Structure formats: C-alpha cells, structure tokens
C-alpha cells in the first residue's frame, strides 16, 4: 500500500524567508512518480512538478526547488524568498506505475501562510 | 484551450435528495478522476476512469455514490439520498498519460 505523509499541517513565515515543506512516502514499488500540487485560496489545484523514481536529481525552477532522496523516502519542497502569493495549501502525491494506470495518493497537505 | 470544467460550482441540497455533479475533462484526456475534499482535509480518491476499461470504484464510500463516463468524455458523479457528511468539495481531474493530473475548480456540495 502506498502512503504519503506531510507532517507539517500549517507553516507561517515572514515574506522573503525560505521555507521547506516536508513529504515522506511509502511504497513497495520500484517504479513510481512523485508530485507536488499547489491549492491557492481560490481552490483549484495546480500541478507544480513530477518526479519519477529513477531520477534523483534535484530540480530548481525559479524560487522553487525539490530535493528527492530515495534513501529517506523523502521529496521535500523548498520555496526561496517566499512571497505572499505563495500562500496556499501544498500537496505531495505518489503514484505507482501499476498495469497501465496510476492511482494517485495524496498527502493531507501543508498550509503555508506567508506574512507580509 | 479549455481546462477541466465542473458544474455546478455550488450545490445546496436537503438531506435525502439526490444530486448530480458534472465534469468535462480536457479534450483528448483518457483518464478521469473524482476526489472529495472535506473542509481542511486532503484529497480522498473516489473513482477513476481510464479509456474503455472498467472504472476503479474502490474509493467510493458507499453504494449511494456512483459515477459514469459517457463516450469517454463527460462524467457524472451521482450521490443518492444525500447525508450531511457528504458535504464537501468534489474535485474532478483528467490526465493523458503522463500521470500529471489537471484539476477542475470543484463543486462545493452542502447538504442541509
């Protein structure tokens, strides 16, 4: 069974601070995908990144960066120089490549509040 | 370039009534998912459609919930004899083959 744990329920930071959102996953598969989604106050989930289990390279996209470590089953997300627009709920998710379809398991989300 | 659309955006109903929620996926997307998100909670998987294969209904919480997808496109989620605990935001997502899901804006269901 697959499981995604986001231990941080809520985080508050002051604008321009860096913040890291933690994600720990469990899976028995050797082939899987990891995702991060953002859900702003408007409610619509927005895809941020996908990572497959064979690619442990860290990724940077502007102020966003992701640290994938299979050894600790973690896929953490860092926002550098946070901005008020980053305030949202962030979900980490996992899907196992299983016979041609992928059932995605989401974590419970981390609510990030960036204070101006 | 339309995204995933859902209707209605809000639905208020009385306990015991049936409701239908609609999802229009992105054209050409073969996979369609329904999730439920209760206030302040994560996403709860409900059902998954992939092409012409039998849907994965393993997440439906009770037999009051059902869904269909006609012609491999539009999907309808039906909740019969609604209960107050059914109140939530119902999210639909579609995807092609890359696992990345595109979400609709959701339908907020309130059962009085």
């Amino acid at each position: 069974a697959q499981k995604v744990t986001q231990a941080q329920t809520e985080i508050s930071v002051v604008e321009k601070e860096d913040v890291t959102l933690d994600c720990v996953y469990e899976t028995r598969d050797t082939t899987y995908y990891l995702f991060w989604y953002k859900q702003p106050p408007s409610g619509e989930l927005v895809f941020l990144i996908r990572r497959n289990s064979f690619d442990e390279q860290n990724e940077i996209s502007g102020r966003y960066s992701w640290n994938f470590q299979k050894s600790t089953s973690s896929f953490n997300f860092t926002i550098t120089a946070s901005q008020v627009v980053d305030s949202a709920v962030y979900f980490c998710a996992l899907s196992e490549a299983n016979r041609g379809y992928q059932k995605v398991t989401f974590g419970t989300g981390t609510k990030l509040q960036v204070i101006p | 370039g339309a995204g995933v659309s859902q209707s209605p955006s809000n639905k208020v109903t009385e306990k015991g009534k049936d409701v239908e929620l609609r999802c229009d996926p992105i054209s050409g997307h073969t996979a369609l998912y329904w999730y439920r998100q209760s206030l302040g909670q994560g996403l709860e998987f409900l059902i998954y459609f992939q092409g012409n294969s039998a849907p994965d209904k393993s997440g439906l919480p009770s037999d009051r919930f059902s869904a269909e997808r006609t012609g491999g496109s539009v999907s309808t989620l039906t909740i019969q004899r609604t209960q107050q605990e059914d109140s939530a935001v119902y999210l639909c997502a579609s995807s092609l083959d890359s696992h990345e899901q595109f979400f609709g804006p959701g339908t907020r269901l309130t059962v009085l």
Side-chain angles (χ1 to χ4, degrees), chain A residues 10-47:
Chain A
E10 289 193 39
I11 301 175
S12 289
V13 298
V14 176
E15 199 171 20
K16 297 185 183 177
E17 286 184 348
D18 299 347
V19 58
T20 295
L21 310 181
D22 298 333
C23 173
V24 174
Y25 62 92
E26 295 177 27
T27 177
R28 294 182 180 178
D29 273 17
T30 55
T31 304
Y32 51 90
Y33 290 84
L34 295 161
F35 306 82
W36 276 95
Y37 286 85
K38 175 182 179 179
Q39 187 175 38
S42 60
E44 195 159 339
L45 276 97
V46 176
F47 166 82

Side-chain angles (χ1 to χ4, degrees), chain A residues 33 35 37 39 42-47 50 89 91 95-97 100-104 106-109, chain B residues 4 33 35 37 40-43 45 48 50 56 58-59 91 95 97-105:
Chain A
Y33 290 84
F35 306 82
Y37 286 85
Q39 187 175 38
S42 60
E44 195 159 339
L45 276 97
V46 176
F47 166 82
R50 180 192 71 187
V89 180
F91 291 96
S95 74
E96 295 166 333
Y101 79 83
Q102 299 81 34
K103 183 171 165 180
V104 182
F106 284 80
T108 52
Chain B
V4 177
Y33 305 76
Y35 296 90
Q37 186 176 29
Q41 302 298 308
L43 278 72
F45 167 79
Y48 163 87
Q50 172 63 56
D56 177 354
S58 60
L91 293 165
S95 69
D97 56 4
S98 63
H99 307 247
E100 172 190 339
Q101 295 181 30
F102 294 84
F103 283 82

Side-chain angles (χ1 to χ4, degrees), chain A residues 8 13 18 22 46 58 60 70 84-85 97 111 113:
Chain A
Q8 303 151 308
V13 298
D18 299 347
D22 298 333
V46 176
N58 292 329
I60 298 174
K70 289 179 77 170
V84 173
V85 294
K111 183 177 182 179
Q113 184 177 14

